[in-house]
Amino acid sequence: MQHFPSLRKLGVTACGDTVVLYGSVPSFHDRQMAVAYCQHVTGVHHVVDQLVVSESSAVVRAIDCSPDDRPVPPTLMTPEA
């Protein structure tokens, strides 16, 4: 999952041929990617999805600003309602 920054901090445990995913992802799409990724690992036959989709875990990917504007650090940004 190293190529997907939003999936790097997920919890993963394995027991036999079963993998359990837990933690928070920023979107349903990221959740689907994590499950699909695990399903394609050799030897994995069952994936238990305990992931939670949470906007607060979203990563700011790009900020479009004019040359006079300065981007606001992601830690200071609030989610839009």
Side-chain angles (χ1 to χ4, degrees):
M1 291 189 220
Q2 65 186 14
H3 300 292
F4 305 103
S6 61
L7 305 181
R8 287 184 183 163
K9 295 183 179 181
L10 293 183
V12 181
T13 58
C15 183
D17 63 356
T18 301
V19 170
V20 179
L21 294 173
Y22 57 93
S24 181
V25 291
S27 70
F28 183 72
H29 175 73
D30 289 330
R31 181 181 192 169
Q32 289 177 309
M33 284 190 342
V35 171
Y37 186 89
C38 290
Q39 289 172 333
H40 288 91
V41 173
T42 303
V44 173
H45 294 109
H46 308 283
V47 177
V48 178
D49 176 6
Q50 295 183 343
L51 297 172
V52 175
V53 177
S54 170
E55 282 187 27
S56 64
S57 65
V59 175
V60 176
R61 291 187 174 90
I63 300 173
D64 183 22
C65 13
S66 67
D68 297 330
D69 292 336
R70 296 186 185 269
V72 176
T75 55
L76 301 177
M77 298 180 80
T78 56
E80 295 181 29

